[in-house]
Amino acid sequence: MRADETKADSMEEASGPLLERALDPRHWGMPSRTRLKENRCVVGTIEVCASVDVTPTLETFIRVSFRGPGLSPMRAAELLEQFAGKRFPTAPNVEWFVEIDGRQWIHFSRRYTRGTLLA
């Protein structure tokens, strides 16, 4: 962990400022696996990152990603519930897509806005 990284005591505590920044349209951007340090927080040994990605077709997806030693997709799903459960409650027919990249980040994403953005 770098000295300039934001820290929190719980996923719930980390979610406030991270989701506030991520959901602000001024911070939306093209999909990227590397986000600014302002999009990240460390909780214990787990790093969490939140963003809203805008695709070339102007669809929006919220992405919440986790990385940590020995982190499994099932444990990351539990962390997602702690992190985003109050703002994005688990509901029938609302799916989070999951992917694991080569840097061992576990990414959860789902559509954020109903339709595509208009430019």
Side-chain angles (χ1 to χ4, degrees):
M1 182 175 63
R2 296 184 318 255
D4 62 344
E5 287 182 314
T6 303
K7 298 178 189 176
D9 292 327
S10 68
M11 285 296 161
E12 295 85 356
E13 180 184 328
S15 71
L18 286 182
L19 285 176
E20 183 178 323
R21 178 179 167 72
L23 300 179
D24 181 339
R26 294 175 295 176
H27 300 288
W28 295 2
M30 297 298 288
S32 172
R33 296 291 188 260
T34 57
R35 291 290 181 184
L36 300 172
K37 67 181 178 179
E38 293 85 8
N39 292 71
R40 296 182 183 189
C41 186
V42 176
V43 179
T45 61
I46 305 295
E47 190 172 3
V48 59
C49 179
S51 64
V52 172
D53 298 336
V54 181
T55 69
T57 58
L58 299 181
E59 295 174 293
T60 58
F61 292 86
I62 182 160
R63 177 184 303 272
V64 179
S65 307
F66 301 94
R67 179 173 65 175
L71 186 62
S72 70
M74 289 301 291
R75 176 67 181 128
E78 293 171 1
L79 295 174
L80 176 66
E81 178 63 29
Q82 293 170 21
F83 182 83
K86 290 181 180 172
R87 187 77 180 246
F88 299 97
T90 304
N93 300 321
V94 176
E95 296 182 18
W96 287 87
F97 299 96
V98 63
E99 99 183 89
I100 303 171
D101 69 19
R103 295 174 303 140
Q104 300 304 306
W105 279 95
I106 301 173
H107 305 278
F108 294 91
S109 61
R110 66 178 258 194
R111 185 175 297 277
Y112 181 57
T113 56
R114 290 182 183 231
T116 57
L117 299 175
L118 299 176

